[in-house]
Amino acid sequence: MSGCKAKSGPAVVATPFDKNYSGPVIVDPLTRIEGHLKIEVEVENGKVSNVWSSSQLFRGLEIILKGRDPRDAQHFTQRSCGVCTYVHALASTRAVDNAVGVDKKLPKNARLVRNLVMASQYLHDHIVHFYHLHALDWVDVVSGLQADPVKAAKLANSMSSRQTKPEDLKAVQEKLKAFVASNQLGIFTNAYFLGGHDAYYLNPEENLVATAHYLEALHLQVKAASAMAVFGAKNPHTQFTIVGGVTCYDSLTPERIKEFKQLQAETKKFVDECYIPDLLMVASKYKDWAGIGGTHNFLSFGEFPEIEHDINSRFIPQGVIMNRDLGTVGDFDPKSIKEDISHSWYKGNSSLHPYDGVTDPQYTSYEDRDRYSWMKAPRYKGESVEVGPLAHVLTAYAKGVKPFVDTTDYVLNALGVDKSALFSTLGRTAARGIETSVVAAEMQKWVENLEDNLKNDKAICIDWEMPDEAEGVGFVGAPRGALSHWIKIKDGKIENFQLVVPSTWNLGPRCNQNKMSAVEEALMGTPIADPKRPVEILRTVHSYDPCIACGVHVIDARTNEVHKFKVL
């Protein structure tokens, strides 16, 4: 984080809440996410006392994939979403790699290229999330109109090595003023800050600096996406992964690799000079949120392998942390995953391992409190766990992975808080920035490793044969968290395919033991300042970066019939 200047934060603000309010609060639809999510809470004396997280979209990719060629899975699954497309392609490819046994023979170049594209996905996802999906929960954009550009520039220059001129911020104000004057705030209207709100703490100068970088990030995120396309041929929906390797022969020239390095360097510069300073600026004013929105159990699959088939070789390590005990990190055991459907819109009350998973939809009603979500409820050894950047950072920190330890300690020291603050909404948001900074720095080493290896080794894929029967799994530490695809092959075709995605871990419903999901647990006790504008709910739910689109399919709510379409 060479572009960032550390500073101590101000005193903690007392979190406001309406002690006179008791009753329901429903956020539906919850915006600035992918897909359709409903959050319903009960409030007692101004604080959340019960929670239901409901995905309103049916998850049916498993049905579509039955009977198809296993090699088709990566093309179908990455189209479940317009954001995290590559992560599904990689999970499906790794599942078939594992099933046919080619994961133990994967060429080094293929592993490195897959890692570099995944690292670019991390940078793209996290920058878009921080600025465009989450920042408006903390930043009052319109307040920036009241800022003094000279004072705002002085503030920006005190936090970053990048020099900001008052006239640049004045230009941002003029652009913002035009938005307001036209009564078309557009992208800003989905927040709850319009007209002022007691839960927003930043001053006008801080709001102006954050707004300037919000607008800049709209252009910058294209560079990270373009870096993915250098090797992936296009983005979204990359075209370069195949079972046994990759296909990007034409991208392994010095010219294309140089292009990738330039895009990565520009993105990293923005992370160092804007993202991390902005994160520290915002977090230093919202330290009250270091005590809100926490959970207790965490699961990481890890990511960026040194040896493709060895989950223990990953740069972000695998691991399980229970009850916030950073002194005891257990090894992840794939046999300990089950998906429960007791409170989901599926037939039965089973709790099955993904290899034996069944996707048989049965919708009841929108008002049903017993079965209230299309998401299944994944559990690890029967417990609800949180996945995602916070799980990655906690696991890496507890295992002593130096770049994560150094960066996490830097952020904690800059904010003047101890590591217990990580178990919170603030910690979850900070972890995403920490992870972005660490991955951006490591990418430079990985691309140099690829260049060196290509001097004597041109292999990027190997041959293999499809077995009549096999089973396999692909584990991916996606930017949103632990993603796994499970495949059973029979007669050379897909007999069963199950996706266990990060949002089902984080945002699913209760299980047969009535244990809440991670987000349901995290929202308990949340203070609500204004029940009609519950920005506090958005802060915690958005900190998970929900993506419900993995569940999209088409079902008739009256007949429970799954519709099939033939595209001519």
Side-chain angles (χ1 to χ4, degrees):
M1 294 186 290
S2 57
C4 185
K5 300 178 182 177
K7 56 177 281 189
S8 297
V12 178
V13 176
T15 308
F17 62 100
D18 183 353
K19 297 178 182 177
N20 296 318
Y21 180 76
S22 293
V25 174
I26 300 175
V27 183
D28 181 25
L30 196 142
T31 57
R32 280 187 272 125
I33 67 170
E34 183 78 13
H36 192 137
L37 181 70
K38 168 190 172 187
I39 296 291
E40 181 175 359
V41 306
E42 287 181 355
V43 177
E44 289 184 12
N45 303 320
K47 292 191 176 183
V48 173
S49 60
N50 212 342
V51 187
W52 295 266
S53 170
S54 174
S55 170
Q56 297 286 310
L57 291 173
F58 172 50
R59 176 185 176 195
L61 282 161
E62 293 90 343
I63 298 170
I64 296 174
L65 288 170
K66 280 188 175 181
R68 295 186 182 275
D69 189 309
R71 290 168 293 191
D72 290 344
Q74 63 117 341
H75 296 294
F76 278 86
T77 57
Q78 69 173 305
R79 282 164 175 77
S80 65
C81 180
V83 181
C84 41
T85 63
Y86 172 60
V87 300
H88 284 290
L90 184 59
S92 289
T93 304
R94 281 179 175 169
V96 185
D97 279 346
N98 180 238
V100 305
V102 77
D103 55 337
K104 296 179 176 61
K105 308 170 187 174
L106 203 74
K108 183 176 180 179
N109 291 327
R111 174 183 60 78
L112 287 167
V113 170
R114 289 182 180 185
N115 283 354
L116 287 170
V117 177
M118 176 60 79
S120 302
Q121 173 99 57
Y122 266 67
L123 267 56
H124 181 262
D125 262 31
H126 289 345
I127 290 171
V128 169
H129 175 263
F130 179 73
Y131 283 102
H132 308 129
L133 304 180
H134 198 27
L136 299 183
D137 300 336
W138 315 97
V139 177
D140 183 343
V141 172
V142 179
S143 161
L145 288 173
Q146 309 305 317
D148 180 337
V150 174
K151 291 182 179 178
K154 185 177 181 181
L155 169 68
N157 293 331
S158 73
M159 300 185 300
S160 171
S161 60
R162 172 200 263 200
Q163 289 303 297
T164 300
K165 299 176 181 176
E167 52 264 38
D168 294 336
L169 295 176
K170 183 68 176 175
V172 172
Q173 278 184 314
E174 293 299 322
K175 184 177 293 186
L176 184 57
K177 190 181 298 181
F179 275 128
V180 175
S182 66
N183 199 28
Q184 295 179 355
L185 278 169
I187 53 178
F188 302 130
T189 56
N190 286 330
Y192 286 83
F193 54 79
L194 298 177
H197 195 298
D198 290 343
Y200 282 83
Y201 308 154
L202 300 185
N203 63 41
E205 284 72 29
E206 291 162 334
N207 283 315
L208 179 58
V209 171
T211 301
H213 294 159
Y214 175 107
L215 296 173
E216 184 178 344
L218 288 170
H219 299 283
L220 187 281
Q221 55 91 21
V222 177
K223 296 185 184 299
S226 297
M228 292 180 67
V230 169
F231 297 121
K234 62 191 286 288
N235 184 55
H237 307 135
T238 56
Q239 298 291 308
F240 76 113
T241 48
I242 58 171
V243 177
V246 296
T247 61
C248 51
Y249 290 101
D250 293 339
S251 299
L252 300 179
T253 63
E255 293 78 15
R256 297 307 307 276
I257 293 176
K258 181 180 179 182
E259 180 185 355
F260 179 89
K261 292 170 74 173
Q262 288 175 337
L263 291 165
Q264 182 272 337
E266 288 181 75
T267 308
K268 181 180 183 301
K269 185 177 176 65
F270 180 82
V271 171
D272 291 342
E273 296 182 347
C274 296
Y275 184 175
I276 300 302
D278 288 344
L279 172 65
L280 294 177
M281 177 185 73
V282 174
S284 67
K285 283 295 185 71
Y286 286 98
K287 288 197 288 188
D288 53 324
W289 280 81
I292 300 171
T295 60
H296 287 77
N297 305 324
F298 302 87
L299 167 65
S300 168
F301 288 165
E303 191 47 74
F304 308 112
E306 280 288 325
I307 302 170
E308 178 67 15
H309 70 279
D310 184 0
I311 199 169
N312 292 308
S313 74
R314 296 182 172 191
F315 170 68
I316 296 177
Q318 59 84 18
V320 182
I321 297 171
M322 306 301 282
N323 298 315
R324 303 185 180 183
D325 181 5
L326 295 179
T328 306
V329 183
D331 283 335
F332 160 61
D333 177 8
K335 296 178 181 176
S336 297
I337 295 177
K338 288 187 177 180
E339 284 197 296
D340 189 276
I341 58 170
S342 301
H343 293 280
S344 306
W345 284 315
Y346 296 97
K347 292 178 182 176
N349 296 285
S350 63
S351 185
L352 301 173
H353 187 272
Y355 272 139
D356 303 316
V358 176
T359 301
D360 196 355
Q362 186 173 51
Y363 181 72
T364 55
S365 75
Y366 180 82
E367 293 81 12
D368 194 340
R369 281 282 184 84
D370 183 43
R371 291 181 184 267
Y372 59 93
S373 177
W374 281 116
M375 284 187 179
K376 298 179 181 178
R379 293 293 183 266
Y380 184 81
K381 293 185 177 180
E383 299 295 334
S384 169
V385 297
E386 173 174 339
V387 302
L390 181 54
H392 296 163
V393 168
L394 289 173
T395 304
Y397 189 85
K399 287 193 170 185
V401 181
K402 192 173 186 311
F404 279 98
V405 172
D406 291 348
T407 308
T408 303
D409 284 343
Y410 173 85
V411 169
L412 294 177
N413 291 333
L415 295 176
V417 297
D418 63 34
K419 57 189 176 185
S420 66
L422 293 169
F423 300 101
S424 67
T425 295
L426 189 71
R428 194 173 299 113
T429 301
R432 191 168 265 104
I434 291 167
E435 184 171 72
T436 308
S437 177
V438 171
V439 170
E442 293 299 315
M443 286 175 71
Q444 293 175 309
K445 304 173 188 173
W446 298 336
V447 72
E448 289 169 3
N449 196 348
L450 176 64
E451 287 179 304
D452 289 341
N453 198 62
L454 284 169
K455 293 175 183 175
N456 300 305
D457 177 10
K458 304 296 184 186
I460 60 172
C461 63
I462 59 173
D463 295 331
W464 56 277
E465 292 185 0
M466 181 70 72
D468 287 338
E469 293 191 16
E471 64 181 26
V473 59
F475 296 112
V476 169
R480 284 184 169 90
L483 168 67
S484 56
H485 288 188
W486 308 72
I487 188 171
K488 278 191 174 182
I489 299 172
K490 186 175 183 179
D491 298 329
K493 303 293 184 184
I494 296 175
E495 181 185 43
N496 195 12
F497 199 101
Q498 296 292 318
L499 300 86
V500 185
V501 305
S503 287
T504 55
W505 284 106
N506 288 333
L507 296 131
R510 290 159 170 77
C511 62
N512 58 4
Q513 299 300 309
N514 214 32
K515 294 177 180 177
M516 291 180 162
S517 65
V519 79
E520 291 176 332
E521 176 189 350
L523 284 168
M524 291 293 288
T526 299
I528 305 293
D530 181 353
K532 294 182 179 179
R533 297 183 298 168
V535 66
E536 298 86 353
I537 292 175
L538 296 184
R539 285 174 178 167
T540 292
V541 178
H542 282 156
S543 70
Y544 285 97
D545 194 8
C547 182
I548 316 302
C550 299
V552 172
H553 195 51
V554 180
I555 188 170
D556 190 319
R558 294 169 299 175
T559 66
N560 278 313
E561 179 183 358
V562 178
H563 291 289
K564 299 179 180 178
F565 297 90
K566 184 177 182 180
V567 179
L568 301 176

